[in-house]
Amino acid sequence: MNHGLANPAAPPSVSFWQAFAFWLKLGCISFGGPAGQISMMHAELVERRRWISERRFLHALNYCMLLPGPEAQQLATYIGWLMHRTRGGMVAGTLFVLPSLLLLIGLSWVYIAFGETPLVAGLFYGIKPAVTAIVVQAAYRIGLRALRNPFLWAIAAASFVAIFALAAPFPVIVAVAALLGYIGGHVAPEKFQLGGGHGPVEAVFGPALIDDDTPTPEHARFGWYRLIRVLIVAALLWAIPMGLLTATYGWQHTLTQMSWFFTKAALLTFGGAYAVLPYVYQGAVEHYGWLTATQMIDGLALGETTPGPLIMVVAFVGFVGGYLKAVFGPDSLFLAGAVAASLVTWFTFLPSFVFILLGGPLVETTHNQLKFTAPLTAITAAVVGVILNLALFFGYHVLWPRGFAGSFDWISALIALGAAVALFCYRQNVIVVIAACAVVGLLVEMLMLS
């Protein structure tokens, strides 16, 4: 590919430790959800550092978008693997979530140990209505992109009715939507094409280290031996800790059930973290009772305000569940929470690494566009209905904290309205909105105590 004499020379090779430093930095500053994280990686890796070309970057992103799991973390894993083999992918993907895990363990402990103090209670009083507005905005934003014709609107409406009125399990909704998409893709393919995209492919930022015409490195070529080896190692990495937990504590123990539940959740995160939150709520709050509905809302707020993928809210769920269930006895509550948070993070993210190491060689070897768009489009449409149900659920618990029989919390309603105006009309950053609402909640709490 000829970039012209005016373009700069290709960048020098990047050592493993140079890449390590970059992935660590990214893990500490990756705020803004998947769109912000992908934009940040594009700006750093494609435009500024030129480690990878625009087309190769988007080619990898297209694959990651088809997978369950956080696409930004998987994209980091993919690029790290492409540059520095398996250890590069493991480091990139791990450092994308490790700072968030450590931060959430600390914040979860402060929340659960000191949450009843006026300072913390006031902050979360203001944060809860903001989270409700954020979830409404998520439903709107995804719906705007996904619901492009009456067929997809119908799927979204049906999924809302299924989960709201019929209490259908989230995996069933995903499976039915995928089936409808598969059928629709054959009957009316023009209605189920995956739209959108993350930017133009025409932009040229100069020669890249991994350029459009750079040959696929040897470690990224497909081979049956490599595929079988990855499958065996992945199976052992899942089975050994699960087997040890079962043998030590039994199948019904909290830590074992958490590990099994979040393994299933990891395979259902099509459409981003907001899509799987209803499933996590159904299991963690309603079925297992690891935490309350109010604590779930607070956990989502903490997930929104820390770096890393939003699905890291599972670490909060794990910490609170392990802490409250006192899985190691009453004298080791923090240890119980930290171990539970680490376990659920392990089982939630293990499939993401496996998908990249298994599928990456196929993507790099073929360099063809992947065609699995119709089921994914239908699943995304169904997710809109599911997220709308989640918004109503949050709104109910925030505005009627004691149920419909109790009084309406008009102060929370005003905070939620203000947050919605800031998000929809003024397009304010989520973290700014949460911080402002937290301050308002603290002021209200102080006034009520005075």
Side-chain angles (χ1 to χ4, degrees):
M1 178 177 176
N2 183 14
H3 293 275
L5 296 175
N7 286 326
S13 61
V14 178
S15 72
F16 171 79
W17 291 109
Q18 285 175 307
F20 183 99
F22 170 76
W23 298 122
L24 178 60
K25 171 190 170 185
L26 182 69
C28 294
I29 63 171
S30 58
F31 295 94
Q37 291 157 356
I38 290 167
S39 297
M40 190 181 301
M41 277 193 280
H42 184 276
E44 284 287 332
L45 299 179
V46 177
E47 298 179 31
R48 194 167 79 82
R49 299 172 188 259
R50 292 183 287 121
W51 287 1
I52 187 169
S53 72
E54 175 95 351
R55 289 184 182 275
R56 295 289 278 266
F57 181 91
L58 293 178
H59 186 67
L61 177 59
N62 285 339
Y63 172 61
C64 295
M65 287 179 67
L66 298 180
L67 301 173
E71 63 262 37
Q73 185 264 351
Q74 289 168 333
L75 180 61
T77 305
Y78 190 107
I79 296 173
W81 161 78
L82 193 58
M83 293 184 66
H84 295 109
R85 310 174 66 88
T86 300
R87 68 168 182 165
M90 300 298 291
V91 162
T94 300
L95 292 180
F96 198 88
V97 299
L98 186 60
S100 177
L101 172 62
L102 298 177
L103 191 56
L104 274 171
I105 287 175
L107 291 174
S108 301
W109 176 71
V110 170
Y111 169 82
I112 204 69
F114 305 103
E116 297 301 318
T117 61
L119 172 63
V120 179
L123 291 172
F124 279 96
Y125 179 78
I127 285 172
K128 289 186 185 71
V131 169
T132 303
I134 288 165
V135 177
V136 171
Q137 188 206 28
Y140 172 78
R141 193 174 63 242
I142 296 172
L144 201 64
R145 189 178 71 243
L147 306 181
R148 300 185 306 279
N149 59 63
F151 291 92
L152 299 176
W153 274 97
I155 292 174
S159 74
F160 174 77
V161 171
I163 197 167
F164 179 79
L166 306 177
F170 181 64
V172 173
I173 294 174
V174 169
V176 172
L179 179 62
L180 289 173
Y182 178 79
I183 295 170
H186 286 79
V187 176
E190 73 282 356
K191 302 293 185 183
F192 289 89
Q193 291 177 352
L194 189 65
H198 286 261
V201 297
E202 292 80 10
V204 175
F205 302 100
L209 194 61
I210 302 174
D211 217 333
D212 294 351
D213 53 1
T214 302
T216 300
E218 177 58 34
H219 72 271
R221 297 183 185 277
F222 177 78
W224 285 107
Y225 171 74
R226 186 178 284 118
L227 183 142
I228 293 169
R229 186 177 61 188
V230 171
L231 279 174
I232 292 172
V233 172
L236 290 173
L237 289 174
W238 181 87
I240 289 173
M242 183 65 77
L244 288 174
L245 287 169
T246 306
T248 305
Y249 300 110
W251 180 250
Q252 296 302 326
H253 190 268
T254 297
L255 292 179
T256 312
Q257 286 296 298
M258 280 184 173
S259 301
W260 174 238
F261 174 74
F262 284 103
T263 295
K264 294 183 290 183
L267 302 175
L268 294 169
T269 49
F270 292 100
Y274 285 109
V276 82
L277 282 175
Y279 177 66
V280 174
Y281 161 73
Q282 282 181 337
V285 177
E286 293 183 342
H287 182 70
Y288 293 104
W290 292 328
L291 73 173
T292 66
T294 299
Q295 289 168 338
M296 184 75 187
I297 302 172
D298 295 341
L300 182 57
L302 289 178
E304 288 276 13
T305 53
T306 51
L310 179 58
I311 194 62
M312 282 303 297
V313 69
V314 301
F316 174 87
V317 173
F319 186 96
V320 173
Y323 189 102
L324 294 181
K325 297 290 185 182
V327 294
F328 296 145
D331 296 327
S332 303
L333 296 180
F334 176 82
L335 178 64
V339 169
S342 301
L343 272 175
V344 302
T345 302
W346 173 267
F347 285 101
T348 298
F349 283 92
L350 178 61
S352 291
F353 289 97
V354 176
F355 289 139
I356 296 304
L357 296 178
L358 274 181
L362 287 170
V363 178
E364 282 299 312
T365 300
T366 61
H367 271 264
N368 292 325
Q369 290 295 316
L370 300 170
K371 301 297 183 183
F372 187 49
T373 59
L376 182 65
T377 300
I379 290 171
T380 306
V383 159
V384 176
V386 171
I387 297 174
L388 180 59
N389 174 72
L390 185 71
L392 292 179
F393 158 76
F394 280 0
Y396 166 73
H397 283 279
V398 167
L399 302 180
W400 286 274
R402 295 176 181 83
F404 285 130
S407 59
F408 179 78
D409 191 339
W410 62 270
I411 297 178
S412 290
L414 288 175
I415 296 174
L417 180 62
V421 169
L423 290 166
F424 282 94
C425 300
Y426 295 99
R427 302 184 184 279
Q428 288 296 313
N429 183 278
V430 165
I431 296 174
V432 172
V433 172
I434 288 178
C437 291
V439 171
V440 172
L442 183 59
L443 292 174
V444 170
E445 184 77 13
M446 294 297 105
L447 288 173
M448 292 173 68
L449 289 175
S450 62

